[in-house]
């Protein structure tokens, strides 16, 4: 059977994305109106679904701009959260026949996707997350923009320990911001970007969208791939959902290698909807506490090393898994025999989901990075400021949690297909492609965004819904889902645990 993504490439003009973004750039908006239902419909169409699959009504409240930005952050969050919730409702409807209405408060959806940045909503025993070993890391200091010899700017985010040490060696600097900036000033932006890519460092030149569209990687890859790619890559017997479900994903098991935000967010979603989710770490992995408290919610956590014995434990877990999800550096999964083709060949019926940066193929496919790198190359920072003086929007991240939600949409759609027709499925979402979708939703005229944000109840930056739970870490306060299903409300069997504290086994 042909993949949905392949069929889309045949039926959609390759330059549709480009045409849409160019139109938005040339005609900045001075009104807040947006057809959310149509936006959700377009996202779900990527995976062969529709708004009607929930079996109920879809309604929205709230409008961008909520913060003084030219970018429709709340719109993106509202659409992403709605699409994910519809996909979960569709699974529930498949299992029970029950439809459900869905209401999205766009203002709270905005807070749900970026709330961790404020450091007040996700706490343990009343304490906000700390930077710990990442404190004073020169690659983690805002503003992110570093000027180059030719008057351009780059963003470089090599803050995790292993790549941090390699980056210091590459830049011949001592770790201070001043030393790093002085080193970068010796380079021309294009030469530095290429040299850093060859070293596997996280770095990109700040571009305008007009510059990006001239890049071969954009023409060959980014302008052509769907927002959510779902591809059937193997055959198997159908695996129907088990009867007697209390939550949409009761009986489903997901094995993950999710870290940072986007990849782990898929695991959090699956756990919320009832799956048993076990996230795996390597012994020497590290994580930013704010990231951990945001997206490791719901998942159990175990540590497996590269030994033959632990690979055997991993393979045993995978044998009983329905889903594998990951967001690792380019080449990591293939080098360790964890790519979709190999895992699905060994485990027919597996759904393999990954988050990538610029796409799986093309000239930039081996470049590592985060959603800020997608924003750097796509023109978002230049839009917020200018090409000569780029600016960070008043929110972090750029799209991370939303990318995770889109990945979840793909996984849920694949589960539904597998239940009927069988098969192994490969789901891929891209950070940079998601930023481009973000731009395609519309750009505000700068003065309009500044005067409208917070100007009325619809544009208010309201507090999110929170929940508290007693956990092995202490009393955890976290961001609730913000969008709720009346007949199959989600819940977490595990809220949050210390990293690596669970045995490598499934719940019974």
């Amino acid at each position: 059977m042909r993949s949905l993504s392949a069929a889309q490439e045949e039926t959609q003009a390759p330059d549709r994305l480009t045409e849409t973004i160019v139109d938005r750039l040339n005609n900045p908006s001075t009104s807040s109106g947006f057809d959310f239902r149509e936006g959700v419909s377009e996202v779900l169409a990527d995976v062969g679904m529709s708004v009607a699959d929930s079996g109920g009504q879809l309604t929205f409240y709230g409008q961008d701009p909520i913060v003084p930005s030219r970018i429709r952050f709340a719109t993106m969050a509202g659409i992403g959260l709605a699409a994910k919730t519809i996909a979960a409702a569709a699974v529930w409807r498949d299992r029970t026949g029950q439809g459900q209405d869905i209401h999205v408060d766009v203002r709270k959806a905005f807070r749900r996707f970026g709330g961790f940045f404020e450091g007040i909503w996700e706490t343990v025993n009343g304490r906000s997350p700390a930077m710990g070993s990442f404190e004073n890391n020169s690659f983690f200091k805002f503003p992110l923009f570093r000027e180059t010899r030719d008057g351009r700017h780059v963003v470089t985010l090599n803050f995790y320990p292993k790549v941090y040490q390699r980056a210091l060696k590459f830049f011949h600097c001592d770790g201070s911001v001043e030393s790093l900036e002085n080193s970068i000033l010796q380079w021309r932006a294009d030469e530095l970007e290429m040299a850093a890519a060859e070293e596997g460092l996280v770095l990109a030149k700040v571009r305008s969208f007009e510059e990006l569209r001239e890049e071969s990687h954009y023409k060959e890859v980014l302008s052509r791939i769907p927002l959510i790619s779902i591809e059937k890559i193997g055959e198997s017997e159908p695996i129907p959902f088990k009867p007697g479900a209390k939550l949409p994903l009761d009986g489903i098991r997901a094995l993950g290698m999710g870290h940072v935000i986007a990849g782990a967010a898929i695991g959090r979603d699956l756990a919320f909807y009832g799956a048993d989710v076990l996230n795996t770490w390597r012994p020497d992995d590290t994580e930013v506490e704010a990231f951990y408290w945001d997206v490791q919610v719901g998942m159990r956590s175990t540590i497996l090393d590269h030994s033959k014995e632990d690979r055997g434990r991993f393979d045993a877990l995978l044998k009983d898994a329905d889903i594998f999800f990951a967001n690792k550096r380019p080449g990591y999964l293939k080098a360790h025999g964890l790519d979709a083709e190999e895992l699905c060949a060994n485990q027919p019926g597996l759904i393999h989901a990954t988050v990538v940066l610029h796409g799986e193929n093309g000239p930039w496919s081996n470049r590592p990075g985060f959603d800020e790198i997608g924003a750097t190359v796509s023109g978002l920072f230049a839009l917020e400021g200018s090409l000569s003086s780029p600016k960070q929007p008043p929110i972090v991240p750029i799209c991370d949690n939303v990318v995770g939600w889109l990945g979840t949409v793909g996984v849920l759609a694949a589960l539904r297909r597998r239940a009927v027709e069988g098969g192994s499925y490969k789901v891929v979402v891209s950070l940079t492609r998601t930023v481009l979708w973000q731009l395609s939703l519309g750009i505000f005229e700068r003065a309009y965004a500044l005067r409208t944000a917070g100007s009325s109840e619809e544009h208010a930056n309201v507090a999110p819904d929170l929940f508290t739970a007693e956990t092995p870490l202490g009393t955890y306060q976290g961001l609730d889902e913000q969008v709720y299903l009346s007949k199959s409300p989600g819940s977490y069997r595990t809220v949050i645990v210390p990293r690596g504290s669970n045995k490598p086994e499934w719940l019974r």
Side-chain angles (χ1 to χ4, degrees):
M1 180 174 178
R2 296 159 57 208
S3 69
L4 288 177
S5 55
Q8 288 164 347
E9 287 187 14
E10 291 179 16
T11 58
Q12 296 179 355
D15 61 353
R16 179 183 174 191
L17 177 66
T18 308
E19 292 172 355
T20 302
I21 295 175
V22 169
D23 177 70
R24 301 295 188 262
L25 293 173
N26 290 339
N27 299 283
S29 179
T30 56
S31 68
S32 299
F34 188 90
D35 189 339
F36 282 98
R37 184 183 179 88
E38 178 61 25
V40 176
S41 296
E42 291 181 358
V43 169
L44 291 174
D46 265 358
V47 297
M49 292 181 61
S50 72
V51 171
D53 287 337
S54 70
Q57 299 297 312
L58 175 64
T59 55
F60 292 85
Y61 180 79
Q63 292 278 4
D64 269 315
I66 288 174
V67 292
S69 170
R70 302 189 69 192
I71 312 301
R72 286 185 173 271
F73 284 105
T75 302
M76 173 191 64
I79 292 172
L81 201 50
K84 175 175 75 87
T85 308
I86 287 172
V91 172
W92 180 254
R93 189 182 183 198
D94 290 346
R95 301 185 78 162
T96 67
Q98 298 177 336
Q100 301 181 72
D101 294 337
I102 295 170
H103 177 70
V104 181
D105 187 327
V106 175
R107 306 167 305 167
K108 291 184 177 181
F110 169 76
R111 243 1 192 311
R112 170 68 177 82
F113 113 87
F116 81 87
F117 180 63
E118 297 169 272
I120 58 175
W121 308 116
E122 293 162 325
T123 63
V124 171
N125 297 330
R127 176 179 71 83
S128 293
M131 289 300 294
S133 62
F134 297 94
E135 185 72 33
N136 297 319
N137 189 305
S138 56
F139 293 93
F140 220 179
K141 291 293 184 181
F142 292 84
L144 299 172
F145 313 107
R146 315 294 181 208
E147 189 173 357
T148 57
R149 179 181 176 183
D150 51 350
R152 298 298 297 262
H153 292 82
V154 297
V155 170
T156 181
L157 292 167
N158 302 285
F159 52 87
Y160 283 104
K162 291 180 184 178
V163 72
Y164 175 73
Q165 293 300 325
R166 291 195 291 110
L168 291 183
K169 183 177 179 180
F170 173 84
F171 284 112
H172 303 290
C173 62
D174 61 14
S176 68
V177 172
E178 294 77 14
S179 177
L180 176 62
E181 289 180 339
N182 286 334
S183 177
I184 289 174
L185 271 172
Q186 310 311 307
W187 290 84
R188 295 184 181 276
D190 287 327
E191 294 170 355
L192 176 56
E193 185 181 58
M194 185 62 69
E198 291 174 355
E199 291 292 324
L201 301 180
V202 179
L203 185 146
K205 181 180 80 168
V206 176
R207 288 171 172 79
S208 64
F209 175 74
E210 291 78 9
E211 289 177 325
L212 175 67
R213 66 180 292 194
E214 297 304 317
E215 297 281 354
S216 60
H217 187 82
Y218 178 83
K219 295 175 182 177
E220 298 168 10
V221 180
L222 289 169
S223 67
R224 297 174 179 267
I225 59 175
L227 183 62
I228 308 170
S229 172
I230 175 171
E231 180 181 2
K232 188 176 186 180
I233 62 172
E235 297 296 335
S236 73
E237 291 298 315
I239 304 178
F241 294 111
K242 296 176 181 178
K246 296 182 180 179
L247 290 170
L249 296 185
D250 271 353
I252 297 297
R253 290 169 168 171
L255 185 63
M257 286 186 170
H259 69 124
V260 199
I261 301 174
I266 296 174
R268 172 176 172 155
D269 289 342
L270 299 176
F272 181 75
Y273 294 128
D276 179 13
V277 185
L278 182 62
N279 203 29
T280 62
W281 301 82
R282 300 305 188 190
D284 56 351
D285 284 341
T286 56
E287 189 54 280
V288 178
E289 194 167 61
F291 298 170
Y292 196 92
W293 291 4
D294 186 53
V295 289
Q296 295 295 324
V297 174
M299 293 186 281
R300 296 183 301 115
S301 174
T302 196
I303 292 176
L304 296 172
D305 60 31
H306 292 283
S307 68
K308 182 178 179 180
E309 291 76 15
D310 271 4
R311 180 55 192 253
R313 294 184 179 97
F314 179 90
D315 290 341
L317 288 166
L318 193 68
K319 186 176 180 181
D320 293 321
D322 300 278
I323 301 155
F324 173 77
F325 64 92
N327 58 323
K328 304 296 285 186
R329 291 172 62 86
Y332 181 95
L333 296 181
K334 189 170 184 62
H336 291 86
L338 300 169
D339 58 299
E341 289 70 22
E342 183 159 348
L343 290 190
C344 290
N346 294 330
Q347 179 68 23
L350 183 70
I351 294 163
H352 188 285
T354 52
V355 177
V356 299
L357 178 58
H358 298 309
E360 289 191 291
N361 305 298
W364 292 359
S365 60
N366 287 327
R367 297 185 179 184
F370 309 102
D371 71 340
E372 289 88 355
I373 296 299
T376 301
V377 303
S378 299
L380 187 146
F381 291 144
L383 274 171
E384 281 291 271
S386 65
L387 198 55
S388 60
S389 183
K391 184 179 179 183
Q392 174 78 33
I395 183 171
V396 171
I398 301 300
C399 66
D400 254 328
N401 263 304
V402 179
V403 174
W405 301 344
L406 297 175
T408 300
V409 171
V411 169
L412 296 177
L415 282 171
R416 297 182 71 213
R417 288 182 62 185
R418 190 188 72 165
V420 176
E421 64 183 76
S424 302
Y425 295 86
K426 177 180 178 180
V427 175
V428 182
V429 286
S430 156
L431 294 163
T432 304
R433 177 63 178 83
T434 302
V435 177
L436 292 168
W437 168 62
Q438 195 173 7
L439 298 182
S440 77
L441 296 174
I443 310 297
F444 288 118
E445 191 271 328
R446 194 183 308 276
Y448 174 79
L450 290 173
R451 69 173 180 267
T452 306
S455 64
S456 69
E457 192 63 28
E458 266 199 315
H459 297 280
N461 197 1
V462 300
D465 298 336
L466 304 173
F467 75 97
T468 59
E470 295 305 316
T471 77
L473 292 181
T475 302
Y476 174 78
Q477 173 186 281
L479 290 162
D480 214 335
E481 191 68 3
Q482 315 305 319
V483 177
Y484 309 99
L485 292 170
S486 59
K487 296 176 181 176
S488 59
S491 63
Y492 299 114
R493 282 179 290 185
T494 299
V495 176
I496 193 166
V497 299
R499 187 171 64 86
S501 59
N502 298 108
K503 295 178 180 179
E505 59 189 28
W506 296 113
L507 295 175
R508 300 298 179 188

